[in-house]
Amino acid sequence: MPRALLTAAFGLLVLAPPVRADWLDLVAGTTLRGIDYREGRAGKKAVFTLETGETVAIEPGRIAAFRPSPPGETVEHRGKQVALREKVRALAAERRKREAAAERDLEAWALGTIVSPEEKKLADAARAARERFEALPAAERERALVRAVARSSRKSVRTLAARELASFKGTTPLEALARATVRDREKAVREAAMASIASIGDPAAGERFAPFLKSPERVERVRASRGLETYPARRAVPVLIETLRKVWADFGRGYFFQGTERSYVSDYSLVSGGTGFSLVEVADPTISKLADGVVLDVDVRRVEMEAHVRALRKITGQDFGADVVRWREWWKASEAAAPEAR
């Protein structure tokens, strides 16, 4: 099958075609108003654009029903009767404009935190940007900070966003901070994110690190375990044990060489050549190398293994080292004895 057809077929499996559904009823009793409802397929979330212009993703299990509005129905928008789609598009465009302005203000604010006192113009601009940003509604500030900590190319902006997210509660800020703690390449950003998680004080904070134990990157798995060591989460124990098993099964050793290599001419060899009328012998140099330095033999997975063991020890109060079998036996017995702790 051609690549284009395969791509199209895969897209159809993920999202169904748009359904005209202006009212979406949730299991919790809430009703949402909007357009362009797309029902999720293959375990994906449904997508719905709200009347406010915001697009949200909703777990399929939360949706009770959707109801289309009567044909030709209009809604009030700033003193006029317009089609709902027209209202949504106008509000979405305004939302994008505000988000871009908030992003610029965050960058100006962050720049002001690193300029010298002599750069008064930049400092004044940063102060004004901070005031504009802090005047935004809390929901808009939260969204802007979550985007910035995940996407900004500037270390100073990501650090500022991670620090400011300490003022927000809920799942979204915690997930953004945990992601930054595990994935950000800058230590300053990771430290700011970890400090904000501590300030939020959510008892379930540790659970936000558990998904990163399945990361293909070893450094991310190590950071996730360190996060769980700081914020213990019992639900992460099975994943930690499985991660420890994979590390132990693939445990190995490696080495690296650090030194200097020098090339020199150690000898010459006579090489014959020429044509049918003459014979020529030339000296061909023999090149040898002289190396000095050190070869370090390292346990390439010991650091990760120890990180997982420390997290397990902190969460459970048990210490079976890297013995995966004993950890599994203890967990099975513990769950059987106290199923309510799951």
Side-chain angles (χ1 to χ4, degrees):
M1 183 181 292
R3 183 185 299 272
L5 292 179
L6 281 173
T7 303
F10 178 76
L12 290 174
L13 288 174
V14 175
L15 287 178
V19 179
R20 186 171 186 273
D22 296 332
W23 297 95
L24 191 64
D25 299 327
L26 303 184
V27 174
T30 307
T31 298
L32 303 179
R33 173 79 156 165
I35 61 171
D36 293 341
Y37 171 72
R38 289 177 177 265
E39 184 176 346
R41 297 286 179 84
K44 300 294 183 178
K45 293 182 179 180
V47 178
F48 193 48
T49 302
L50 301 180
E51 187 176 7
T52 60
E54 178 185 2
T55 299
V56 295
I58 308 171
E59 294 286 352
R62 295 179 54 203
I63 301 171
F66 60 82
R67 296 175 283 114
S69 297
E73 182 187 32
T74 60
V75 294
E76 191 277 333
H77 178 55
R78 295 175 181 163
K80 297 181 180 179
Q81 289 295 315
V82 298
L84 177 60
R85 183 172 297 277
E86 182 180 344
K87 176 182 178 180
V88 170
R89 285 178 175 172
L91 292 178
E94 292 174 4
R95 175 183 292 274
R96 289 192 295 270
K97 186 176 180 180
R98 290 197 305 272
E99 289 175 351
E103 183 178 337
R104 290 193 297 272
D105 284 340
L106 267 178
E107 290 188 358
W109 180 4
L111 181 61
T113 63
I114 58 177
V115 299
S116 64
E118 291 76 20
E119 296 177 277
K120 186 176 184 302
K121 186 176 181 179
L122 286 176
D124 290 343
R127 190 178 305 109
R130 176 176 182 174
E131 290 174 356
R132 287 193 301 271
F133 185 82
E134 292 181 338
L136 293 173
E140 290 191 20
R141 282 186 284 124
E142 178 184 316
R143 285 195 296 270
L145 292 170
V146 167
R147 285 196 308 273
V149 79
R151 304 177 188 174
S152 177
S153 60
R154 297 177 181 269
K155 168 187 170 182
S156 58
V157 175
R158 299 198 308 277
T159 304
L160 173 63
R163 189 169 64 243
E164 290 299 311
L165 277 173
S167 302
F168 296 89
K169 308 289 183 181
T171 300
T172 301
L174 273 176
E175 288 180 346
L177 290 168
R179 188 182 305 110
T181 301
V182 172
R183 290 185 170 173
D184 201 280
R185 62 185 180 275
E186 298 290 347
K187 184 178 179 181
V189 180
R190 298 197 301 271
E191 290 179 346
M194 186 66 90
S196 290
I197 293 174
S199 298
I200 291 173
D202 191 318
E207 296 177 10
R208 311 302 170 193
F209 291 97
F212 297 104
L213 291 171
K214 299 179 181 180
S215 169
E217 300 295 331
R218 185 181 309 159
V219 66
E220 293 184 3
R221 297 194 299 267
V222 171
R223 290 170 183 165
S225 279
R226 289 172 179 168
L228 284 164
E229 185 181 2
T230 305
Y231 304 102
R234 183 178 174 85
R235 292 184 180 180
V237 171
V239 186
L240 274 168
I241 294 174
E242 179 62 17
T243 306
L244 181 62
R245 182 195 67 78
K246 291 179 179 178
V247 174
W248 182 255
D250 196 26
F251 188 77
R253 300 183 68 84
Y255 71 90
F256 68 89
F257 167 74
Q258 182 176 5
T260 304
E261 286 190 348
R262 296 181 177 85
S263 300
Y264 65 97
V265 178
S266 61
D267 199 358
Y268 290 91
S269 301
L270 291 178
V271 179
S272 299
T275 67
F277 299 100
S278 64
L279 181 65
V280 178
E281 288 188 335
V282 296
D284 184 31
T286 300
I287 307 298
S288 298
K289 293 182 179 181
L290 189 63
D292 58 35
V294 294
V295 175
L296 299 180
D297 189 19
V298 295
D299 293 348
V300 295
R301 294 186 180 269
R302 185 172 297 279
V303 171
E304 180 181 356
M305 182 179 67
E306 291 177 349
H308 300 326
V309 171
R310 285 197 305 270
L312 283 167
R313 188 185 300 131
K314 181 66 177 291
I315 295 170
T316 66
Q318 306 296 317
D319 188 1
F320 303 119
D323 192 331
V324 177
V325 174
R326 292 186 66 189
W327 278 115
R328 281 177 168 172
E329 291 174 348
W330 173 84
W331 177 249
K332 185 177 180 180
S334 176
E335 288 292 272
E340 69 278 0
R342 296 178 188 175

